[in-house]
Each structure stands twice: as structure tokens, then as C-alpha cells.
Amino acid sequence: MNKKFIPLAFAASLIFAACSDDQTDVVNNGPEITFRTSVSRAQNIDETNLTEFKVWAFSDIVTSNTTAFIEGLVAKKEGTVYKFDHSIFWPNDITTLNFWAVSPVNDNVVVKHNGEALILESYKPAENPEDQLDIITAYQKVNRVSNNGTSVSLEFNHILSQILVSARAGHGNEIKEKRTVKVKGAWLVNIGTGATASRSTATDKNVVVWDNFSSTKASYGSYFDTPRELTSTATSFFSFDNSNVSVPQSNLLLIPQQLTAWNGTAAGNGAYILLLCRVEATHDGALHDGASDPMVESEIDKHIHQMFPTYEGATFDEYAYGYACVPIGTLWEYGKIYRYTLDICGKNSGAGIYPPVDLPDLPGLPTDPSPIKIIPTPDPDKVGKPVLDEPIKFTVTVNDWDDPATWNPGDVPLQ
């Protein structure tokens, strides 16, 4: 993976003072500790907007009660380097140090340690996609002698999974009729939240383990003020602009986990992608053989069928939307992007299946969505059954987070 190295100069001195008086007993004036970092492709972090991060350092001989040599100090960017608010020098009596670093510096990223590993305890991603954090961590064991001084290379890794969902309509050949699909909201439902991340002590590499999952499940996603009308080209619901990492993003950054797909039962346990959507079919001519249908809107040269949502006694209503879903059971690993592409009303696909009657709270969904009218699953007997002729077909592609194409790989000289 190509890396862009950012120079860090940590500037502040370490003085050990006696408890009994104000005299200085020991001054460790070894070489000044400097850093360089590499950050792989991130949601909102690159060399232009990584402004600060926290650093910890421990001696190589640690116990659960070991005091940190550097205890969560914030390194802030000043020009082309990063500095503490006071200088720190390598202690003469310590040869090897273990360094950790975490970004972003945020109240929702509460880091603890046990002398051997940093611990991000009971982390919960924000409900709003634009408020979710791209958490990156670095770890490096450094021997001052073999490292030829004090230049420490910290390689940051992403410790969350990035989830992108897009959909297309009428994809493929031999589509029987023109169907229009409009989407007012998209969510991932029954996703594990509240888990603990810690660095694995089984290796000297920067390997993170997620465990101690809460039994609580959450929904993540967005409600759209303006309906997204799908085309044969995929429309992204949770987007990420590869060309500009500085703009606000709405891609989902969630805890790595093994999803258990919803099995279509009324209980509603298990993960699925939920769409608040509407499906219409347009035909030429005012009506079929002059017939009348309450679910059809007739115009001079065409007529439009409201195919979904529908229920007993329903009439055509351009503001009516209903819920359809597709179960997912993917293994999410950290540092990877998962792209779900939904194929709706295509050659061999329908518009999903009916979700449970009772849905969890959906982030962003207004209490009063008018003029939109939301039609819930109309009958418990429909739960788990296709809303039209077939379920939604979908594909999942998985990629590592890569460096942006605009980056020039290589080292930036240290100052």
C-alpha cells in the first residue's frame, strides 16, 4: 500500500521532580523524540486535515500498574510538523518504548490502557452518518539504538468497517415494463453496537480485536428530504467522494462484526437493509381497454400503476411509500469497505420483501413525514414475503481502504 509520510516533531522536556521539595533530582536529556506517520485512505483524514492525535508510550517492561511515559498527550499540527505543548526527550535509562497513537481527538473516543494495550471501551457509532468517526490507531515498538536515534514511524490503520449502499432499477435486458422506483430512506437494521476494541498483545504488530459486544442492536441510515429516483446506474445512499476527503461524508463507519441475516420471521431478529420506497409502472395509453382501476393514475397519453405500496382499499396516491427490505449476513472486518449494490425491479429481481410489522426506531425519520404517507407492512401474514414478484438481488464487493490517487507516495523529510 502506498504511504504518505507526515513529519512529526514532539517538542517538550521531561523533568522528574522530588516530592519533598522543588529541586530537580533527575533530568533526562536524551535525543528529542520525533515521529513520522502514514495514514491509509480515510473518510475524513489525510495529510491535509489530520490536525491532531493522542499519543501514549510505555517502557518495554510493563505490568498492569505501569505508569505511562507519555500519557495521552495531544500532538497538534503546527505548520508542517506536529508538536506537544512542551518538549519530550527520550529517557537515558530506557532503551525500548512502545508507542500508541489514536485519532481523532474526540470526547466519544475514550481510551484506557492496562500498560500493555490501549482499550477503546464500549464504543457506539453515532446514529447520524455524518457524525460518525473514522477512528485510526497506530502501534510501534521502538528500540532507540537499532532505530538510529529517535525517529519513530507510526502506521495508522482504520479500526472500523466502512459500509456503502447503492441501488439501481430496471437493470438488465428484457425488462417487461418501465418501472419507476423512488426511495425516501435507507437504513441498516439490527446492527451490533457497543463493543470494545483493544490491541492484541499476541503480536508486536498493530492488530486490533473487537469483543465484549453489547446485546443492544441499532439502526443506521438516513431519511431523504427529496426522493431518490433510481436509474439503471447505481445511486449511492451512503456516499463517499473519493476525490475530496475534506467534504462531509455520509458513508457508514460501523463496528466490525459477523452479521446474522434476518430469517423473515415476525420476531424481526437479524440484520437487513431497509428501504422506504415506492414502485410505479408506466404504460402507454390512457387505460387498458377503458378499464378503471383505483390504483392507476390516468393521463392523456399514458397511465401509471401504483405497484407498491398496496393494501386492501388502497387508491393511487403519489405520496404513499412503504417499507421493503433485503436480509444481509456479511462478515465485516476492520479496515475494509463493503459495497452493497441492490438490483431492484430488474430482469431477475423484484422490490424486496416485507419487513416485520413492528420496526425499531429509524434515525432521521421525522415524526410527521407529510406530505409523505408511510404505509407499514399491512398484514403479519405478509412478513418475509416479496412485495412484488421477487426479492431484491444484490451483490457485495469488499476492498481495503487505499490511498487516494492524488497522493504521491514516499517519505517527507523530517525537520
Side-chain angles (χ1 to χ4, degrees):
M1 178 181 293
N2 292 332
K3 303 294 179 188
K4 183 86 169 184
F5 290 110
I6 308 169
L8 301 177
F10 285 9
S13 69
L14 178 68
I15 298 177
F16 295 100
C19 297
S20 58
D21 53 43
D22 293 331
Q23 294 181 353
T24 300
D25 285 343
V26 180
V27 177
N28 278 304
N29 284 329
E32 184 178 2
I33 298 175
T34 61
F35 292 80
R36 50 181 184 163
T37 69
S38 61
V39 186
S40 63
R41 178 74 168 82
Q43 187 215 6
N44 284 320
I45 300 175
D46 71 356
E47 83 269 26
T48 66
N49 56 23
L50 177 59
T51 59
E52 60 183 7
F53 51 85
K54 288 185 177 181
V55 178
W56 287 258
F58 291 88
S59 70
D60 195 36
I61 303 174
V62 294
T63 67
S64 60
N65 297 320
T66 297
T67 300
F69 172 67
I70 299 174
E71 176 69 73
L73 293 182
V74 177
K76 293 187 176 182
K77 190 172 186 178
E78 296 183 14
T80 59
V81 298
Y82 293 76
K83 297 181 179 180
F84 292 134
D85 60 2
H86 58 283
S87 286
I88 292 185
F89 296 89
W90 198 292
N92 289 329
D93 54 348
I94 297 177
T95 302
T96 302
L97 285 174
N98 296 314
F99 290 91
W100 290 282
V102 177
S103 179
V105 177
N106 187 285
D107 290 342
N108 293 322
V109 183
V110 180
V111 178
K112 300 179 180 179
H113 67 78
N114 59 9
E116 295 181 302
L118 293 187
I119 300 170
L120 178 63
E121 195 169 62
S122 299
Y123 178 73
K124 294 182 179 180
E127 286 187 348
N128 182 2
E130 293 186 2
D131 293 334
Q132 291 177 352
L133 303 174
D134 179 16
I135 303 177
I136 58 176
T137 67
Y139 167 78
Q140 187 65 49
K141 176 182 285 188
V142 180
N143 182 285
R144 184 180 63 181
V145 177
S146 61
N147 198 58
N148 295 321
T150 58
S151 179
V152 178
S153 178
L154 295 177
E155 181 179 335
F156 283 91
N157 292 333
H158 307 273
I159 67 169
L160 294 172
S161 301
Q162 184 178 161
I163 314 301
L164 304 177
V165 179
S166 61
R168 58 193 178 191
H171 178 72
N173 299 321
E174 301 176 10
I175 303 299
K176 295 180 180 179
E177 59 190 354
K178 174 176 171 47
R179 292 186 180 181
T180 300
V181 181
K182 300 176 181 179
V183 180
K184 279 288 290 180
W187 295 270
L188 272 64
V189 179
N190 289 335
I191 306 301
T193 188
T196 295
S198 59
R199 191 192 73 83
S200 171
T201 57
T203 175
D204 283 339
K205 297 182 179 179
N206 187 23
V207 177
V208 174
V209 176
W210 284 93
D211 56 13
N212 295 328
F213 276 86
S214 165
S215 59
T216 304
K217 301 293 182 180
S219 299
Y220 299 98
S222 300
Y223 176 83
F224 312 130
D225 292 331
T226 302
R228 308 279 181 90
E229 184 170 332
L230 304 184
T231 67
S232 58
T233 302
T235 296
S236 179
F237 299 134
F238 314 128
S239 62
F240 181 47
D241 183 358
N242 290 335
S243 64
N244 188 355
V245 297
S246 65
V247 300
Q249 307 294 343
S250 59
N251 54 317
L252 300 177
L253 292 162
L254 303 178
I255 294 175
Q257 60 193 276
Q258 173 65 65
L259 300 179
T260 300
W262 176 52
N263 61 7
T265 62
N269 299 324
Y272 53 92
I273 298 173
L274 180 70
L275 301 179
L276 178 58
C277 61
R278 174 180 178 82
V279 182
E280 299 173 344
T282 302
H283 297 161
D284 294 332
L287 286 173
H288 293 296
D289 301 324
S292 113
D293 186 332
M295 296 296 287
V296 174
E297 177 77 7
S298 180
E299 299 182 9
I300 295 176
D301 58 347
K302 64 181 180 181
H303 60 278
I304 304 171
H305 296 256
Q306 180 177 309
M307 302 187 70
F308 178 77
T310 184
Y311 54 95
E312 186 176 352
T315 59
F316 186 94
D317 186 344
E318 64 177 309
Y319 296 111
Y321 284 75
Y323 290 112
C325 72
V326 53
I328 54 174
T330 318
L331 170 62
W332 292 345
E333 298 179 333
Y334 70 82
K336 295 186 181 296
I337 302 173
Y338 295 83
R339 295 180 174 88
Y340 293 85
T341 302
L342 310 182
D343 190 3
I344 304 175
C345 295
K347 179 181 177 181
N348 298 307
S349 64
I353 61 178
Y354 282 103
V357 175
D358 296 322
L359 296 174
D361 292 336
L362 301 174
L365 184 68
T367 304
D368 180 9
S370 39
I372 298 301
K373 300 176 182 178
I374 298 178
I375 310 300
T377 298
D379 190 321
D381 291 339
K382 290 185 175 292
V383 173
K385 296 179 181 178
V387 302
L388 292 178
D389 28 348
E390 294 184 71
I392 294 173
K393 300 294 192 300
F394 70 95
T395 58
V396 183
T397 57
V398 184
N399 299 96
D400 291 328
W401 280 345
D402 297 322
D403 293 338
T406 55
W407 281 24
N408 296 317
D411 292 353
V412 176
L414 295 177
Q415 299 184 357

